[in-house]
Coordinates of all heavy atoms in Angstrom, one line a residue:
M64 N 2.6 -16.4 -8.2 CA 1.9 -15.7 -7.2 C 2.7 -15.6 -5.9 O 2.8 -14.5 -5.3 CB 0.5 -16.3 -6.9 CG -0.4 -16.3 -8.0 SD -0.6 -14.7 -8.9 CE -1.2 -13.7 -7.6
M72 N 5.7 -7.9 -0.3 CA 5.7 -7.8 1.1 C 7.1 -7.3 1.6 O 7.2 -6.8 2.8 CB 5.4 -9.1 1.8 CG 3.9 -9.4 1.7 SD 3.3 -10.9 2.4 CE 3.4 -10.6 4.1
V92 N -3.7 -24.2 -1.0 CA -2.9 -24.6 0.2 C -1.4 -24.4 0.0 O -0.7 -24.0 0.9 CB -3.3 -26.1 0.6 CG1 -2.4 -26.6 1.7 CG2 -4.8 -26.2 1.0
R171 N -18.9 -18.8 -13.6 CA -19.2 -20.2 -13.2 C -17.8 -20.9 -12.9 O -17.7 -21.6 -12.0 CB -19.9 -20.9 -14.3 CG -21.4 -20.7 -14.3 CD -22.2 -21.7 -15.2 NE -21.9 -21.4 -16.6 CZ -22.6 -20.5 -17.3 NH1 -23.5 -19.8 -16.8 NH2 -22.3 -20.3 -18.6

Side-chain angles (χ1 to χ4, degrees):
M64 298 311 299
M72 285 177 77
V92 172
R171 276 193 292 277

